[in-house]
Structures are given as C-alpha cells and as structure tokens.
Amino acid sequence: MPPLELLLQQALNGLMLGVMYALIAVGFTLFFGVLDVIHFSHGDIYMLGAFAGLSVLAGLAAAGVGTPVLALPLAFAASIVITGLIGVAAERVCVKPLARSSPLMTLLATLSLGLVIREAVLIFYPRGADPKPFPWLLPQGDFDVGGVVVRYENLAILAIGLAAMIAVDRIINRTRMGAAIRAVAQDPEAAQMMGVNLDRTVDATFFLGSGLAAVAGILSGLYYSEIHFIMGITGGVIGFSAAAIGGLGNVYGAILGGLLFGLVQTMAAALIPRGSEFRDVVAFAVVLLFLVVRPSGILGAKSVERV
Amino acid sequence: MKATRVHVSRRQLLAGGATLALGLHPLRGWAQKPTVKLAFIGPLTGGTASNGLGGRNSFQLALRERNADPKAKYRYEAEILDDECKPTVAVQAALKASSDPAIIAGVTHYCSVTAIATVDTYHKAGMPAMVWGAVLPEITYSHQHVEITRVNGTMINQNNVAADFAVKTLGFKTFALIHDTTDYGRAHAKWFSEFVEKAGGKILSTQGTAKDQKDYAAELTRAKADKPEVLWYGGLTPDGVRVRVQMEKLGVRAQFQGTSGIKSDTFNETAGPSAEGTLAFVEGAPTEKLPGGKQFLAAYAKAGFQEPSEAYGPFAYVAANLVMDAIEAVGPDRAKVAARLKRTKQQDTIIGPVEFDEHGQNTVPLISKYVSQDGKWVLWEDSEYASGKRTLPGLKYKKM
C-alpha cells in the first residue's frame, strides 16, 4: 500500500480527470432525459469544442489579445456558442427527422455524424492528423499540502468546471427554460398542452449540453496542453458510461458518475500491480458491475414500463 | 458450308494474345515502356500520419526520378494505401496490393504492429515486401519467408546503443519505464531493460499504457515516487508528447528519453519548450549526414511536397530504389524479384551500404543519438549538450 500522501496525490489526479468526464456526461444525460436519445456524436462535439477554443485563441493571439484574463473568457464564450449551435444543428439533422423511427436509427445517425465531424477535423484543420499544442494560459506553479503537490492550474480547472456545473444547475432549476426542459423530460405531451414550445426546448437542451462539452474540451486542452482529433472517441465512450453509472437522465448522477470513473481509472493504475495496462478494463468492469447491480444507475429513477 | 470448330485452349489463346500484343507493341510508339506497379503502404491518417506521409512522398520521389531516367526499362506506377497504423486495416491493404497481379512488389509499413500483422499475407501471395520503418525484430526474425526484407535496423541495435549511452556515457543509474502496450512498445521495453541491466543500470518500475492514452498522471505519479534519474518512454509521438508535457506539469524531475518513435518534428512542435533536452535514438543517420542525404533533401525540396520527409523518408526512398533495381535486373516477376532482393549485398545507397542477412534484415546497423535543442532534433555529437555548453535536464537534477 503506497503512503497516504501518494494516495491523496492520485486521488487529486483522478478528480481532475473526473471533472472533464462529468462535463461530457451531463450532455449525454440531458439529451437522454429530454428526448430519450443517446447522442453518440457527443464525444466528437467535445473534441470540436476543444478545436474551436484553440482556433479562437489563435485568432485572438494574432489580433494581439494574448493575456489569459481576456483571452480565456472570450475563447470559452465563443467556443460555447459555436459548439452549442453545432450541437443544435446535429439534433436537427440526426435526431429530429428520425423521431418516429426506431431508436437504433438515431444511434446509427449520430454515430455516423461523429465520424463525419472527426474526419472533417482531420482533413480540413491545418495538419489535422497531428496532436496540436494548446497554449499554457493558466497560472503555473504549485504549493505543497502535507506532501501533496497542488498546482494552481488544477485549482483553476476545478473552479471553472465547478462553475460550469453550478451554472447548469441554476439554468435547469431556476429559469423558465429550465422548467420547460424538466417538464419535457417528465412528459412531453403534457408539457406541450401547458404551452411549452417543444422545438425550442429541445434546441435549448442541445445547446446547453454541447456548450458544456466545449467547456470540457477547452479544460482538457488547458490541462494536457495538447489536443488531438481522436480525443472524442474515448471521451464519448467514457462520458456516456459515466452518465449510465450515474443514471441516465439525472444531471447530478452524471456528475457523480464522471468523478467516479476518473477516480476508478486513476486508482486502478495507481494501486494494482501492472494496473496501468488495464486501467480501462477495471473502469469498464465497474460500469458492468453497476449495470448488473443497479441497472437504472446510482441516482437513476426506477423506470416502470406499464403494459 | 460446314462450320469447322476450332478448339483453342486457354494457354494457346494467351500465347497468341501475348504474341499479338508484343507484335503490335512497336506500333504504339516505341518510346512506350511497359508499366510496372509498386505498392506503398504506411499510416497516412491517424497519430503517426506525419511519418507515413513523409515516407509516401519519398517513395514517390524515387519513382519520379526513375521514370525520368531514359535508361530505365520500365515505367513505374504507384499504388498508395493507408494502413492507419492499425493491424486490421493493414491486412486489408496488404491483401488489396498482393491480390493485384500488376503490383510486383511493395514498400511497406512504418508501424511495427502493422508490419508484423501482414508478414504472412505477403508470403502467401508471394509478393516481395520491403519494410521501410518498423523496427520490431520479429518482422524479419520470426520466419524464413523469402518475400520479407527490411532496410532499416531493428530495435535490438537501437536499444543497445540507447542503454549504453545513458548508463556508460551519461552516468544515469536508475530508470522508470513507461511503454505503450503494442508490440512496438513492449518489445522496446524488453530490450531496453535487458541492455540497461547489462550496462549496470537499474530499472525501478515498468508500466504499460494503452496507445493513444490521454492521461498519464497516475503512471507518472507512481514513477515519480521512486525518484528515478531517467524517465524512459517506449512508444510513438502523440503519447510521447503527452508523457513529456505531463512530466513537466507534475514536476517529475528526471531526464526524459524516448525511442525512435518520438523522433519526429511533430514531437518538438507539440511539446514546445518541454521538448528541450529530450533524448531519442534512431537507426541510420540524419538525412543530411547520409552519404547521399544532401542530394536527397535537395531533390525532396525541389519536388515541392507539402509535408517534411521525417526520419524514415530516406528509408522508404531506398526501399523503392532497391525494389526497382531488382525489377530492372530480373524483370517484373514477383518470385525472381523476391529472390534477388533477399541476396542484396553491399548495395550502395543514400543510407550507406545495404546488406541483407539470411532473414532479409539489413545488417549495417547505423544508430544515431539525438537530443532536442531549441525545437529541433540535433545529432548528439553536434549538440551544445555534448560540447558542454548546455547541461541535460537529467544531469542538472542529479546535481541538486
């Protein structure tokens, strides 16, 4: 058993990873809650968010706006808007026309869209095949708490991630649009009878989920100082798994699932001999275990089919 | 009038057709040379695409030069296939190339996982395939196939030099190893460990990680706890960049050393300032230092390719030329070309003399040591680190 400070250090590593997973997972859970669809191109939307952020930052740097205090908020805002709109467009192309067909068709359509997005970045982004350096914009340096090294950058990322999660919570629980989203998630027909505009609510949901994925994408770029066009593949699979562990349709469940997945992955690599080789095996085995023991997820509601 | 049935066997028909074709041949303008197709297979998309594209361009350069040579008996046509650095895709590409009878030979594979996966495919089809970049020893040493040859050295020579240099020349004693879990990474870790122990160094930990893993915080935190003097990574550029950058962020104060897989311009571009002082080892010598390297680089620049030739471009160029020399000598016949290539002895090329052993492995192992200096890979001997003007990060940490 490694010493305590090493364990805490690894837990911090897992927490960092978990925050990014959680932000992707919330998107999955929102789409499922409102429309009962699994939007499989969401992982590539997350990748797109990272590339949108990088492009905006490059543009700002070219325009002479290099200070992080100004550049970062602008990059986040622009990337959220761009990615959010692409998310809305994706829903209108791949989800809405297939509303009356089998869920399998939606799955296939979103899977294909993900591939299109990925290949488009590969082909059209300058030298898209290579990993791209992401500027170091967060404060560097660290301090020591009882043998655990905490980096300022980690704190900034955790703060941004937490702020994004609080913002989502506020939007869903304190705004009219949020009430509409919750109403549609509960019962679309009844919500429409009460005057909720279904199309607009669905658009808002996809904008919100995709915008969050953009935040996750930029945070990933800042944390790793590098982004790559294939990052959405694992990001998507893990984000979806995290949402499933937490209970599809439950925002807090998705956050919990993301954090849990990050911790399990890191601890597997940290504690098991040769664990780094099968960190993903361990993490996905935990997903399987959850699906067997709690099919509706940690915070998922038990769904009862009435026949 | 009674019709007579003339029975013509397929063989007679073919022979007749061939005679007719040969007879007509001069009528089609006697400058026309018969066309021979050659396949190039490498990773044109994905994480290692920059090396694949550099290889492809170098291969095309060799064909262009040969086609412009009035003394050449044949006109060479390229069939370019992408293996995506994935074994399944590579086998499909190998099947596609080897089942086309017009393709006489191939210049094949940069990634070890793809080269080892396709060995039997070429053997069954009887198509000569010359490997231009993959370094896994088993690609040539695990069989007796006449079709498989390789112009670049193997990781056995590479790791021998790398371990001796780190332990005996630089004086590092303790190593933490991280490697990708592909055949490439595993074999590198195995050979490097053996040679380090032989040289008197100590391996503190070895961790395998998935290829294209994003997060190395857990592995690096674990390695850091043992306070190694060197953190060694066995794998390819995209992961090498991540390991190096995350080392910096997590404050792992050790010398970073990698295998030939990280020695690409992309590594320096993506890792930025973190790349400074990284060590890497490559079979062969830097392109400009090769006997015909300057000429090659000038021709490459003149051809106006979009991408750099990268470390293994010259090897793809040499492989293409060796294959074409064999075809010029024995004609476009797969079996004869394969037999001839296998017997290559003291062939003078831009990478120096090439000589194959009974396994088709080039036995002139030229290994170069590189250090990343100011965003460029510099030959160790030419670097400011060797002259003492700068100190390697790992040696600085040792003194602390």
Side-chain angles (χ1 to χ4, degrees), chain A residues 151-294:
Chain A
R151 291 175 18 233
Y152 300 125
E153 195 178 44
N154 292 7
L155 293 180
I157 288 170
L158 288 175
I160 296 167
L162 193 66
M165 288 174 199
I166 292 172
V168 172
D169 176 71
R170 291 284 131 137
I171 290 169
I172 289 182
N173 291 319
R174 301 282 170 90
T175 64
R176 279 185 70 89
M177 191 40 91
I181 290 174
R182 277 179 293 136
V184 172
Q186 269 182 358
D187 191 335
E189 280 99 4
Q192 275 176 292
M193 282 178 203
M194 294 291 146
V196 172
N197 181 332
L198 187 67
D199 280 357
R200 207 181 309 156
T201 310
V202 170
D203 283 352
T205 310
F206 272 80
F207 187 89
L208 189 65
S210 307
L212 268 184
V215 175
I218 295 179
L219 287 183
S220 168
L222 290 168
Y223 183 55
Y224 297 119
S225 300
E226 171 264 341
I227 59 173
H228 199 192
F229 80 101
I230 54 174
M231 65 195 269
I233 304 175
T234 28
V237 173
I238 291 173
F240 174 63
S241 308
I245 302 175
L248 269 172
N250 186 311
V251 173
Y252 308 104
I255 294 171
L256 199 64
L259 295 176
L260 191 74
F261 203 100
L263 278 172
V264 170
Q265 250 189 338
T266 308
M267 286 304 173
L271 300 178
I272 305 171
R274 289 186 59 195
S276 57
E277 293 190 33
F278 38 83
R279 60 193 276 174
D280 289 341
V281 176
V282 174
F284 284 103
V286 169
V287 173
L288 273 176
L289 196 70
F290 265 103
L291 293 179
V292 172
V293 178
R294 270 198 77 95

Side-chain angles (χ1 to χ4, degrees), chain B residues 262-343:
Chain B
I262 68 160
K263 200 222 148 253
S264 66
D265 297 341
T266 309
F267 178 86
N268 286 324
E269 283 164 27
T270 319
S274 312
E276 186 65 34
T278 296
L279 295 169
F281 300 79
V282 179
E283 300 81 7
T287 311
E288 58 277 7
K289 302 255 173 182
L290 294 166
K294 284 214 166 54
Q295 227 175 314
F296 167 80
L297 285 174
Y300 192 93
K302 210 172 129 197
F305 292 113
Q306 298 263 320
E307 307 88 359
S309 57
E310 296 284 7
Y312 284 89
F315 290 92
Y317 176 84
V318 167
N321 274 314
L322 288 173
V323 167
M324 289 187 288
D325 290 346
I327 293 172
E328 292 288 322
V330 298
D333 175 297
R334 284 183 177 185
K336 285 183 189 160
V337 170
R340 167 130 192 148
L341 284 175
K342 199 84 167 188
R343 290 197 308 270

Side-chain angles (χ1 to χ4, degrees), chain A residues 105-180:
Chain A
M105 293 298 150
T106 315
L107 197 74
L108 192 62
T110 54
L111 262 177
S112 311
L113 177 72
L115 200 89
V116 169
I117 293 173
R118 206 177 318 144
E119 293 296 313
V121 169
L122 168 74
I123 295 163
F124 297 113
Y125 202 88
R127 290 187 58 193
D130 296 337
K132 301 273 163 229
F134 205 92
W136 299 47
L137 292 174
L138 294 174
Q140 297 301 316
D142 50 44
F143 59 93
D144 208 293
V145 187
V148 180
V149 179
V150 181
R151 291 175 18 233
Y152 300 125
E153 195 178 44
N154 292 7
L155 293 180
I157 288 170
L158 288 175
I160 296 167
L162 193 66
M165 288 174 199
I166 292 172
V168 172
D169 176 71
R170 291 284 131 137
I171 290 169
I172 289 182
N173 291 319
R174 301 282 170 90
T175 64
R176 279 185 70 89
M177 191 40 91

Side-chain angles (χ1 to χ4, degrees), chain B residues 33-36 66-67 69 71-76 324 327-332:
Chain B
K33 298 173 182 176
T35 299
V36 172
R66 191 66 61 119
N67 287 337
D69 179 0
K71 289 206 288 288
K73 295 181 198 158
Y74 305 96
R75 213 182 66 72
Y76 294 95
M324 289 187 288
I327 293 172
E328 292 288 322
V330 298

